[in-house]
Amino acid sequence: MDILTWTYILVGASFALYIGIAIYTRAGSTKEFYTAGGGVSPLANGMATAADWMSAASFISMAGIIAFSGYDGSVYLMGWTGGYVLLALLLAPYLRKFGKFTVPDFVGDRYYSNKARVVAVICALFISFTYVAGQMRGVGIVFSRYLEVDINTGVIIGMCIVFFYAVLGGMKGITYTQVAQYCVLIFAYMVPAIFISMQLTGNPIPQLGLGGVVADGTPLLDKLDGVLTDLGFAAYTSGRKGMIDIFAITLALMVGTAGLPHVIVRFFTVPRVKDARLSAGYALVFIAILYTTAPAVAAFGIYNAIETVADKPVDQLPAWVGNWQKTNLISVDDKNGDGIVQYSADPAINELKIDKDIMVLASSEIANLPNWVIGLVAAGGMAAALSTAAGLLLVISTSVSRDLFRTFKPDMTEKRELLIARISAAGAVGLAGYFGVNPPGFVAEVVAFAFGLAAASFFPVIIMGIFSSRMNKEGAIAGMISGLVFTIVYISYFKFISPELNNVDNWWFGISPEGIGSVGMLVNFVVTYTVSKMTPAPPQKVQDMIQEIRIPRGAGAAQEH
Amino acid sequence: MSDNKQKMQAYWKKNLRTLLILLVIWFTVSFGFGILLVDQLNTIRLGGFKLGFWFAQQGSIYAFVVLIFVYVYRMNQLDKEFDVNEE
């Protein structure tokens, strides 16, 4: 069978599975809609968190970015996993004990202020929309290449699927759909990686294959260092970014991970505090399987691409180059007319342009794997994009129905609240679709901004809310606003207002817009602390609540408030 | 009541010490070995890897996983010791 038939079968089967699960587990109450009823097992929650977490950017873009930036790509590997340590140790158990439904719930109660709650809602909406835009673009890319439809049609199909299970099933539907999506995406990622690792290094475990030797007996990474420096690029295992920038970006991604609302809410769905800790551990195991494979996929991909395309005759290029030229993600331009493809760091000589996003999607074709593997990768890319989109859409709809409507209309019936939650989920799907059709930028870059904003807004106020009982509402509101404004201004200045100045000479302390969330976080910490010191201590009731959430016992009861 | 309060303070103090130790390791394997000391560690080889590069792209992630499970184990013990564990 050809690639297209396999793709239709595998993508179709996976969609049928998700919809079946959504119908079977649809939510009947607000508690089920927001937190899946609070009875999810730690193992299932770990899988759902991993799928929620691993987005189109992790699945499609990350290995490509690492392939073209080598050591510098480590920021994503360490940043997007190291945040789970912070999450497990500093946030998850306490938020679970607090036991409400959302992050703005916690901020609003802990800082005894509806103003703080509204600021938190705005942060959550801002982060989620920034992030969901990237996901929808990912859906479009996968659809346009594999189902050979228009990107816009692809986005609309994706919207319909997400609409169905997010609006109908709420958190309960999403949780079990995400478990299925994790299985699909990890299988789809591992199969080609194992095949390619075998082909190149003879080792079936990609994590070890990365350190293995290629056919001529040299270690793969040394070979890559040599090939790339010969072509004028930086060596694969050493970076070009400044150390302070690498440090700042890694920190921003870690702290951002721990502050992302769609990840935090997943820890509200388990029965006990100790389950929240354990499920963070399971989540990281499931994430680590993909994240330790990604650097291997990256190195194999760039090695294969250079070996099969660079310095080869233009009319004898492999078939995958032709397939991807149709999507404009790869282009060959024989500038000097010698009939040979020159690949070089010098843009005047270089004749080959490869979009980073194709490294994972095309790797199976580059390595000549069977057609069903290629169809499987399409289904995996879909699973990654859809699971994250659904998690984000739920945060958006919950923020609107629970944190906005309910705050100002506390006597609303549950049925009405559930209806508002569903309507806002539908509205959010529509808006996400708009972003998918009119994408604001490159997938992983957009996502990096969402992290900067999460790092600069939520993380400090939640941490200080738990670990210091002296922090008060004045401090929290001032801190969130100053962290957020600082970060948005810095990023917008270099990305949108004066992009021509976006280089290391103009950055503060050599920190790029991707890493500025770390500084935003420090601003937030300092402002929150200082303002709190100068204003009255929080009421006794709140201080008692902080003592209470530090003790694990009684988490089940806390949720019934 | 104040007896209980003292006990909870002791529990919290032990909790904070556990966190501090684990976070120091977290910082060392990622920011330390993967970033600040990467050039020095790259002179050492681990099979086909340079050690600093290995920590940056794989080693720190393995360490993170171990850290969380150590934390889960240690906190479960602490909860039992102070009788604040859940059914």
Side-chain angles (χ1 to χ4, degrees):
Chain A
M1 275 194 287
D2 64 359
I3 295 180
L4 196 62
T5 317
W6 270 117
T7 308
Y8 273 112
I9 294 174
L10 290 167
V11 171
S14 64
F15 282 6
L17 177 68
Y18 309 149
I19 292 176
I21 293 172
I23 294 174
Y24 187 72
T25 57
R26 66 189 177 278
S29 65
T30 49
K31 193 177 166 191
E32 285 188 343
F33 194 90
Y34 294 143
T35 65
V40 179
S41 82
L43 191 68
N45 193 48
M47 258 189 221
T49 310
D52 204 352
W53 174 238
M54 290 191 288
S55 57
S58 298
F59 191 94
I60 301 170
S61 302
M62 189 173 66
I65 295 174
I66 299 167
F68 288 96
S69 54
Y71 167 79
D72 288 346
S74 312
V75 295
Y76 299 104
L77 296 166
M78 287 189 284
W80 285 342
T81 53
Y84 273 82
V85 178
L86 299 177
L87 200 53
L89 271 54
L90 303 178
L91 301 179
Y94 308 108
L95 290 176
R96 175 62 197 86
K97 176 64 192 296
F98 168 73
K100 292 280 185 66
F101 296 135
T102 67
V103 177
D105 253 348
F106 175 78
V107 175
D109 284 13
R110 164 62 183 83
Y111 293 105
Y112 48 98
S113 150
N114 278 340
K115 260 190 218 134
R117 191 188 305 265
V118 171
V119 175
V121 173
I122 294 168
C123 295
L125 289 177
F126 207 95
I127 295 162
S128 304
F129 271 119
T130 316
Y131 203 143
V132 86
Q135 301 310 309
M136 282 300 170
R137 170 79 180 147
V139 173
I141 291 177
V142 180
F143 262 110
S144 73
R145 167 63 187 89
Y146 284 99
L147 301 185
E148 295 182 7
V149 295
D150 192 53
I151 287 197
N152 295 355
T153 318
V155 170
I156 291 165
I157 300 172
M159 275 168 62
C160 295
I161 302 286
V162 176
F163 176 83
F164 196 81
Y165 66 74
V167 174
L168 187 73
M171 191 58 143
K172 201 174 168 202
I174 286 178
T175 300
Y176 295 104
T177 319
Q178 281 173 339
V179 171
Q181 281 163 337
Y182 176 77
C183 299
V184 172
L185 84 86
I186 201 67
F187 188 68
Y189 205 83
M190 295 309 291
V191 167
I194 291 169
F195 266 117
I196 298 170
S197 184
M198 282 287 279
Q199 276 181 1
L200 280 183
T201 67
N203 195 325
I205 302 168
Q207 284 84 346
L208 300 175
L210 179 61
V213 292
V214 289
D216 66 1
T218 1
L220 172 71
L221 290 168
D222 292 348
K223 181 99 180 169
L224 259 180
D225 279 350
V227 172
L228 286 170
T229 41
D230 284 349
L231 293 171
F233 295 95
Y236 193 78
T237 56
S238 59
R240 269 172 303 172
K241 284 188 174 132
M243 188 178 274
I244 184 163
D245 197 27
I246 295 267
F247 194 99
I249 297 175
T250 306
L251 184 63
L253 294 178
M254 282 188 185
V255 174
T257 298
L260 279 186
H262 72 292
V263 176
I264 294 177
V265 293
R266 289 236 52 97
F267 296 99
F268 289 101
T269 66
V270 292
R272 295 169 300 183
V273 171
K274 68 189 228 188
D275 298 329
R277 296 179 195 139
L278 186 60
S279 71
Y282 281 132
L284 188 58
V285 169
F286 293 129
I287 292 165
I289 296 172
L290 191 145
Y291 273 59
T292 52
T293 306
V297 170
F300 299 156
I302 190 78
Y303 178 78
N304 262 336
I306 293 175
E307 287 287 293
T308 54
V309 180
D311 289 328
K312 294 284 179 293
V314 176
D315 52 3
Q316 288 172 33
L317 292 177
W320 64 267
V321 177
N323 287 343
W324 285 91
Q325 269 176 327
K326 282 182 230 153
T327 59
N328 289 326
L329 292 173
I330 193 164
S331 65
V332 175
D333 171 22
D334 189 14
K335 286 178 198 156
N336 60 4
D338 65 352
I340 305 282
V341 184
Q342 269 86 27
Y343 186 51
S344 165
D346 181 353
I349 305 174
N350 184 38
E351 299 177 348
L352 175 69
K353 277 202 189 114
I354 309 179
D355 190 293
K356 295 180 181 106
D357 280 350
I358 74 169
M359 223 13 109
V360 168
L361 298 176
S363 66
S364 326
E365 288 166 88
I366 297 174
N368 266 322
L369 298 184
N371 286 347
W372 65 268
V373 178
I374 299 168
L376 188 63
V377 173
M382 285 293 169
L386 293 175
S387 58
T388 305
L392 291 163
L393 290 169
L394 197 79
V395 167
I396 294 170
S397 69
T398 309
S399 296
V400 174
S401 63
R402 165 107 198 153
D403 301 323
L404 287 182
F405 273 85
R406 216 187 140 77
T407 303
F408 300 105
K409 263 187 162 315
D411 53 348
M412 194 162 49
T413 64
E414 189 178 304
K415 217 174 148 191
R416 199 178 159 78
E417 191 182 338
L418 199 57
L419 182 70
I420 292 174
R422 288 199 160 121
I423 293 171
S424 43
V429 172
L431 203 56
Y434 173 81
F435 282 129
V437 175
N438 305 290
F442 179 59
V443 175
E445 270 183 11
V446 172
V447 168
F449 289 155
F451 284 87
L453 301 182
S457 58
F458 281 139
F459 184 77
V461 291
I462 301 178
I463 290 287
M464 288 195 279
I466 295 165
F467 289 89
S468 160
S469 50
R470 180 62 181 75
M471 292 303 142
N472 61 18
K473 66 173 176 188
E474 290 83 359
I477 295 170
M480 276 193 286
I481 292 175
S482 55
L484 203 63
V485 168
F486 171 82
T487 309
I488 291 175
V489 167
Y490 192 90
I491 292 177
S492 318
Y493 180 76
F494 284 115
K495 286 284 170 178
F496 306 116
I497 301 170
S498 304
E500 72 282 358
L501 296 179
N502 188 16
N503 59 55
V504 71
D505 298 330
N506 296 310
W507 295 338
W508 289 4
F509 315 110
I511 297 175
S512 62
E514 283 76 19
I516 202 67
S518 318
V519 183
M521 172 191 78
L522 292 178
V523 170
N524 187 335
F525 267 120
V526 170
V527 171
T528 307
Y529 182 82
T530 316
V531 174
S532 288
K533 280 278 168 199
M534 297 186 309
T535 41
Q540 192 57 41
K541 201 178 82 191
V542 171
Q543 301 202 23
D544 290 344
M545 180 190 110
I546 299 159
Q547 296 307 323
E548 178 63 24
I549 62 169
R550 293 176 178 180
I551 311 299
R553 184 169 282 175
Q559 193 171 41
E560 305 300 339
H561 281 176
Chain B
M1 194 61 201
S2 75
D3 225 28
N4 191 41
K5 209 173 167 189
Q6 259 179 3
K7 204 175 100 184
M8 286 309 112
Q9 269 172 358
Y11 170 77
W12 187 242
K13 227 171 139 179
K14 281 200 169 179
N15 180 354
L16 291 182
R17 207 168 67 201
T18 308
L19 291 182
L20 189 71
I21 294 168
L22 294 175
L23 287 176
V24 167
I25 301 171
W26 164 83
F27 185 86
T28 309
V29 294
S30 51
F31 294 97
F33 295 162
I35 299 174
L36 299 173
L37 299 172
V38 69
D39 293 330
Q40 288 84 332
L41 289 178
N42 272 345
T43 57
I44 305 168
R45 292 194 70 102
L46 183 79
F49 290 105
K50 292 173 179 165
L51 191 59
F53 181 81
W54 181 79
F55 264 108
Q57 299 218 327
Q58 296 202 324
S60 54
I61 302 178
Y62 299 134
F64 295 153
V65 171
V66 173
L67 281 176
I68 297 186
F69 282 98
V70 169
Y71 170 72
V72 170
Y73 176 78
R74 168 83 183 134
M75 287 309 285
N76 284 346
Q77 270 190 330
L78 211 58
D79 289 352
K80 278 202 196 97
E81 186 189 328
F82 283 87
D83 191 33
V84 291
N85 59 321
E86 302 155 285
E87 289 315 303

